[in-house]
Amino acid sequence: HRTVTLRRQPVGGLGLSIKGGAEHKVPVVISKIFKDQAADQTGMLFIGDAIIQVNGINVESATHEEVVHLLRNAGDEVTITVQYLREAPSFLKLPLGSPGPSSDHSSGASSPLFDSGLHLNGNSTNTAPSSPSSPIANEPKYEKRWLDTLSVPLSMARISRYKAGTDKLRSNAFEVLALDGVSTGILQFYTAQESADWLRAVSTNISDLTLQNMKMANKCCSPSDQVIHMGWVNERHEGTDSSQLYKFKFLALKGSSFYIFSTPPVSTLDWVRAEKIYNLCEVLFKIHKLWLADDCWLQANLYLGIHQDFDLEDQRPYCFSVMVGHGKSHYFSVELGSELAVWEKSFQRAIFLEVQRTGSKTYMCSWQGDTLCFTVDFALGFTCFDSKTKNVLWRFKFSQLKGSSDDGKTRVKLLFQNLDTKQIETKELEFQDLTAVLHCIHSFIAAKVASVDPVFIDSQSIARKYMYSN
């Protein structure tokens, strides 16, 4: 509701016209506003505003004539309370002089579906529509109406600060795209600070709604299959002409897997329709820091504008990669440094929980013609045994691993220190997917280190309590 005070002018009166009335079970609404007259000068009244009160008197149930009478006889200063009707009444679109369904021309009274001009001088009660020959009818048309633009739902929405298909950052502008494809268009701001504030506010809302969606999804999932984190990113692809193209992707960390989607999963069935699914134990998360011209690191808490003053190797400052099996990797960028920090923590947490749930991973391997099994165990460390006889060939704790090297293809050398002799023993193995095995070793060692950090463990218990709660 808006309450507006109008000062009646000697020429032009209140400067507005109204339509509607209770006798037709429709509200009384402002149907015209005349340029540079009283109503227009307030800047607060628009065509389509329903009149709720006149000088404190409620007129929601009043007839057309009663409202006209009140407005004409309210004195030189009139206070009206109005409310914008989102659905514009159909009678607003009737042309001037269109007959109302129950207009009674013989009575001399106007139909509530005609305009009653309160831009006229004097207190004449004749409110019938102007004849086409009158000067008022020939006035230039001027309409000041509310523009209903777009309502963009932020649940699962995504933000873009970059010009489509390029690495070029928009200056003080961004776009919000809803899950159903509706876009706000480019929102341009006067200053970098304004743009940063709005970007942060919209991003925070999207994050909060994503958390709500995660909680809803987790109600239907077992404790071992909870959603840890999910959200939109941009994935870099190499174009045919060696150019870099970025495409929106939706990532999720759930249970034992890392998912890559083209569109967010909105139902249980959608989880099996991911473009890529990787085991969390076999992926390696890496943040890409950019070295600036003045030899300082770009901090993750910088939001907008600042990095544009430097000559960067890459236009996108907040990037991370996820390396997967067979030496492949996915390169992603996010809009804010805060998002990058959340993804890093979420991957750490998800991998830690998966290692704890799994306990151990066993891979088939070979050496000198023998088929062997190599096991990484959270409690025992590394074990190698014969795949046929199951005889243990060697076993070492995590703390005994002193180094490693590989040929980048299939073969790895693991250097262990014998606890008795203190000598270094070299064990060589060949794996079909060496990268996956190395990532798994990294995950287990990282989880082992994290398990002795009380701060990290406390944060996990809080996170788990949140995830499993309804």
Side-chain angles (χ1 to χ4, degrees), residues 147-428:
L147 289 178
D148 241 0
T149 51
L150 287 170
S151 175
V152 179
L154 291 181
S155 180
M156 300 289 197
R158 59 190 192 267
I159 297 173
S160 176
R161 289 189 293 145
Y162 293 88
K163 294 179 181 177
T166 73
D167 259 348
K168 293 182 180 177
L169 196 66
R170 295 185 185 278
S171 178
N172 306 337
F174 62 87
E175 180 181 14
V176 183
L177 298 102
L179 180 58
D180 59 3
V182 175
S183 166
T184 56
I186 307 304
L187 304 175
Q188 184 71 52
F189 299 90
Y190 287 107
T191 65
Q193 187 60 51
E194 272 187 315
S195 181
D197 290 344
W198 273 104
L199 180 64
R200 202 174 298 118
V202 174
S203 177
T204 299
N205 270 283
I206 292 173
S207 298
D208 291 345
L209 291 166
T210 301
L211 281 174
Q212 289 181 26
N213 288 327
M214 283 168 49
K215 288 184 78 172
M216 290 296 292
N218 285 340
K219 286 182 181 180
C220 308
C221 300
S222 67
S224 63
D225 198 31
Q226 299 277 293
V227 181
I228 307 283
H229 187 58
M230 59 185 185
W232 285 102
V233 299
N234 278 289
E235 183 176 13
R236 188 175 72 187
H237 296 271
E238 296 296 331
T240 52
D241 55 352
S242 299
S243 62
Q244 292 180 355
L245 303 173
Y246 281 86
K247 294 182 180 178
F248 275 112
K249 298 292 179 182
F250 192 86
L251 309 185
L253 302 172
K254 181 177 185 286
S256 62
S257 302
F258 164 52
Y259 296 81
I260 302 177
F261 296 92
S262 56
T263 57
V266 292
S267 70
T268 308
L269 292 174
D270 289 340
W271 288 95
V272 298
R273 297 172 185 158
E275 289 183 353
K276 302 283 184 182
I277 304 176
Y278 301 105
N279 184 277
L280 279 168
C281 287
E282 297 177 351
V283 301
L284 188 66
F285 177 91
K286 180 184 177 184
I287 281 186
H288 293 262
K289 287 191 171 81
L290 294 178
W291 193 257
L292 301 185
D294 64 347
D295 296 335
C296 69
W297 287 109
L298 181 67
Q299 297 300 311
N301 60 355
L302 298 182
Y303 280 86
L304 275 177
I306 299 173
H307 66 273
Q308 291 173 298
D309 298 331
F310 301 97
D311 182 22
L312 298 179
E313 297 173 12
D314 189 325
Q315 292 286 336
R316 301 190 177 222
Y318 309 121
C319 299
F320 65 91
S321 62
V322 180
M323 287 169 272
V324 296
H326 296 290
K328 296 179 181 178
S329 67
H330 296 271
Y331 188 91
F332 303 107
S333 78
V334 291
E335 299 291 338
L336 300 173
S338 55
E339 290 181 282
L340 189 62
V342 170
W343 275 114
E344 182 181 28
K345 288 181 180 178
S346 299
F347 264 93
Q348 289 173 352
R349 185 164 78 242
I351 292 171
F352 176 80
L353 292 174
E354 176 55 17
V355 168
Q356 285 206 318
R357 276 193 300 264
T358 306
S360 68
K361 292 277 284 186
T362 299
Y363 295 92
M364 297 294 292
C365 60
S366 62
W367 182 243
Q368 295 178 342
D370 295 327
T371 303
L372 308 173
C373 290
F374 174 74
T375 298
V376 187
D377 188 283
F378 190 75
L380 301 176
F382 306 99
T383 304
C384 187
F385 58 91
D386 189 288
S387 62
K388 295 176 183 176
T389 64
K390 307 301 180 185
N391 291 331
V392 174
L393 304 178
W394 48 263
R395 175 174 285 148
F396 294 98
K397 296 178 181 179
F398 287 109
S399 58
Q400 291 177 267
L401 180 65
K402 298 303 177 184
S404 68
S405 63
D406 63 84
D407 63 358
K409 297 175 183 177
T410 60
R411 186 175 298 183
V412 64
K413 288 182 181 180
L414 299 173
L415 308 178
F416 296 103
Q417 185 178 45
N418 187 302
L419 293 178
D420 298 324
T421 64
K422 304 300 181 185
Q423 297 297 308
I424 297 295
E425 296 183 19
T426 301
K427 305 296 181 182
E428 291 191 53

Side-chain angles (χ1 to χ4, degrees), residues 56-223:
I57 300 170
N58 189 288
V59 295
E60 289 179 276
S61 302
T63 66
H64 183 83
E65 291 299 334
E66 286 171 341
V67 178
V68 170
H69 180 77
L70 266 175
L71 288 169
R72 287 194 183 282
N73 297 284
D76 291 337
E77 199 168 86
V78 186
T79 300
I80 62 172
T81 299
V82 297
Q83 180 182 11
Y84 171 57
L85 300 178
R86 185 163 293 278
E87 295 298 326
S90 57
F91 62 79
L92 269 180
K93 299 169 186 173
L94 288 174
L96 189 67
S98 297
S102 62
S103 61
D104 184 5
H105 292 286
S106 61
S107 68
S110 69
S111 162
L113 302 186
F114 286 145
D115 287 293
S116 290
L118 296 160
H119 58 290
L120 306 173
N121 296 322
N123 293 324
S124 167
T125 57
N126 179 17
T127 59
S130 309
S131 66
S133 60
S134 71
I136 291 165
N138 295 326
E139 284 180 357
K141 288 186 176 180
Y142 169 72
E143 290 192 346
K144 181 184 179 184
R145 10 176 116 245
W146 286 100
L147 289 178
D148 241 0
T149 51
L150 287 170
S151 175
V152 179
L154 291 181
S155 180
M156 300 289 197
R158 59 190 192 267
I159 297 173
S160 176
R161 289 189 293 145
Y162 293 88
K163 294 179 181 177
T166 73
D167 259 348
K168 293 182 180 177
L169 196 66
R170 295 185 185 278
S171 178
N172 306 337
F174 62 87
E175 180 181 14
V176 183
L177 298 102
L179 180 58
D180 59 3
V182 175
S183 166
T184 56
I186 307 304
L187 304 175
Q188 184 71 52
F189 299 90
Y190 287 107
T191 65
Q193 187 60 51
E194 272 187 315
S195 181
D197 290 344
W198 273 104
L199 180 64
R200 202 174 298 118
V202 174
S203 177
T204 299
N205 270 283
I206 292 173
S207 298
D208 291 345
L209 291 166
T210 301
L211 281 174
Q212 289 181 26
N213 288 327
M214 283 168 49
K215 288 184 78 172
M216 290 296 292
N218 285 340
K219 286 182 181 180
C220 308
C221 300
S222 67

Side-chain angles (χ1 to χ4, degrees), residues 6-56:
L6 300 172
R7 290 188 175 275
R8 197 186 305 274
Q9 296 177 343
V11 177
L14 298 179
L16 57 85
S17 294
I18 61 172
K19 276 185 180 181
E23 64 267 46
H24 275 267
K25 297 181 180 177
V26 293
V28 174
V29 299
I30 296 174
S31 57
K32 280 190 176 62
I33 288 179
F34 295 88
K35 193 169 181 65
D36 296 330
Q37 294 186 18
D40 186 37
Q41 288 172 2
T42 66
M44 294 176 65
L45 295 174
F46 299 85
I47 292 171
D49 282 341
I51 299 176
I52 308 297
Q53 289 183 351
V54 176
N55 283 349

